[in-house]
Amino acid sequence: MTQLATKIKLYAKANGVTSINFLKDVRLQDDMIDGVSSQYIKEWNLDITKPTDEQLATYEDEANAEEALNTILSNRRSEYPNHNDCIHALLDGGDTLTDLQAKRQEVKSKYPKP
Amino acid sequence: MAITTLNNRSINRSDTASADQVWTATSATASDFQAAEKNLPYFMAQSGSLTPSASTSTKVPLSVSGGLDSESSFDETNDRYTPQTAGKYWIEMIIGVTSMADGGYAVGYLKKNGSTVAEHNFTCSRPSATMHESASFGEIVEFNGSTDYIELYILFEDAWAVRTNQTQLQGFLISAT
């Protein structure tokens, strides 16, 4: 089951809206009734028509793929060498840079894109 | 408990309370002066595990721990506090986020009877890394002492997990109506 926010982003993009502020444009809520997640659209302030549940359901597969990719990218970010290491490697060059590139490639191989 | 002496002398009805005490006369008899504890009722409830959906304002499941609910007014079924003493309360939320991404944001909401009465937004700022973040803030909220209730909602930009037991809703009476 994908996240409602992901499906709404895809629906909006398909209708010409490339950026959504989820604190203003669209507000989603989950009241966790009996401890069970039940997301819904609390407020819809975009100019495009608010989607129906059926319309959002058509984005399920695409949303799954996007969330899987986001997980890969997030995992990579958390294990890549940090900015300081990158700056040092770029300035030092030579083996330092080669080693850093090897570390980055190692992380990419650990979390391959589909 | 009836208080009859203070600093080794008898209490008279004309005595006034010191800075951190409240005295209440329940009759014309000096021995019926009552010591009343301040800041009652109080409560503290903590979250269990929760990973809210990204960008979704989500009610936090909470449970009281260690008996920190002085008048048993926290409803663990509906995750809300409904104080039975009317007045103004200091209500505070503590939000803990696990592995928050650099530049990401989180928002905490205090909702009274379903409507937001306070919200607080904070961000993570640690280049090229994720980290555990937490923030707290409070608000004075007035309750009618019967039906008014308060709930804690959170919104995380991405599907990060709540830090178990480090996300809390707590409060105490500061002024009875």
Side-chain angles (χ1 to χ4, degrees):
Chain A
M1 183 69 178
T2 54
Q3 302 200 24
L4 183 56
T6 308
K7 287 186 280 191
I8 286 175
K9 282 179 195 170
L10 293 169
Y11 167 82
K13 190 176 176 183
N15 287 276
V17 177
T18 55
S19 175
I20 299 176
N21 181 337
F22 281 99
L23 299 178
K24 289 196 303 187
D25 302 333
V26 178
R27 287 180 178 265
L28 308 179
Q29 189 156 312
D30 187 344
D31 296 322
M32 296 292 290
I33 297 167
D34 295 328
V36 178
S37 177
S38 53
Q39 305 168 64
Y40 60 95
I41 299 171
K42 175 88 169 170
E43 271 183 41
W44 185 267
N45 300 314
L46 290 173
D47 290 334
I48 58 175
T49 308
K50 179 181 171 181
T52 62
D53 290 343
E54 290 73 24
Q55 284 175 309
L56 290 175
T58 64
Y59 292 95
E60 187 74 25
D61 290 343
E62 199 177 342
N64 261 322
E66 180 155 323
E67 288 179 8
L69 179 60
N70 286 340
T71 300
I72 291 166
L73 296 178
S74 175
N75 287 336
R76 285 184 176 188
R77 271 197 302 273
S78 67
E79 294 189 26
Y80 276 148
N82 63 38
H83 286 178
N84 282 343
D85 290 341
C86 291
I87 291 168
H88 281 296
L90 287 168
L91 292 173
D92 292 347
D95 289 345
T96 310
L97 182 56
T98 304
D99 290 347
L100 182 127
Q101 287 170 333
K103 283 181 187 171
R104 285 179 55 84
Q105 189 54 53
E106 193 178 306
V107 174
K108 286 182 181 180
S109 301
K110 185 177 177 183
Y111 302 109
K113 289 182 182 176
Chain B
M1 179 178 66
I3 304 297
T4 56
T5 59
L6 179 66
N7 292 335
N8 295 319
R9 74 174 178 81
S10 297
I11 295 172
N12 298 313
R13 278 181 59 82
S14 59
D15 284 336
T16 56
S18 58
D20 58 349
Q21 290 179 311
V22 174
W23 297 99
T24 304
T26 56
S27 78
T29 306
S31 61
D32 284 339
F33 274 85
Q34 302 292 317
E37 291 185 69
K38 277 188 169 182
N39 304 131
L40 280 173
Y42 59 79
F43 79 104
M44 182 181 82
Q46 297 177 315
S47 73
S49 62
L50 173 69
T51 302
S53 298
S55 303
T56 303
S57 175
T58 303
K59 183 156 74 168
V60 180
L62 298 164
S63 59
V64 293
S65 60
L68 291 176
D69 183 9
S70 65
E71 61 175 20
S72 300
S73 295
F74 194 86
D75 174 359
E76 291 186 345
T77 302
N78 295 302
D79 303 302
R80 62 179 57 156
Y81 181 62
T82 313
Q84 297 304 298
T85 301
K88 295 178 178 66
Y89 287 69
W90 177 253
I91 301 292
E92 183 173 19
M93 69 172 93
I94 302 170
I95 310 291
V97 191
T98 299
S99 298
M100 195 172 179
D102 175 41
Y105 64 84
V107 189
Y109 301 93
L110 287 178
K111 295 200 177 197
K112 177 186 170 186
N113 303 334
S115 299
T116 301
V117 292
E119 68 178 82
H120 180 71
N121 190 327
F122 63 100
T123 60
C124 175
S125 179
R126 189 181 182 201
S128 191
T130 60
M131 67 184 302
H132 301 327
E133 287 278 4
S134 64
S136 68
F137 73 101
E139 182 83 7
I140 295 173
V141 182
E142 189 155 12
F143 293 88
N144 62 12
S146 57
T147 57
D148 286 344
Y149 61 88
I150 197 88
E151 298 168 312
L152 172 61
Y153 278 70
I154 53 172
L155 181 153
F156 296 164
E157 183 182 14
D158 208 340
W160 305 309
V162 162
R163 298 191 73 187
T164 304
N165 293 332
Q166 293 185 31
T167 295
Q168 301 173 354
L169 178 64
Q170 57 196 23
F172 54 84
L173 178 70
I174 55 175
S175 174
T177 299

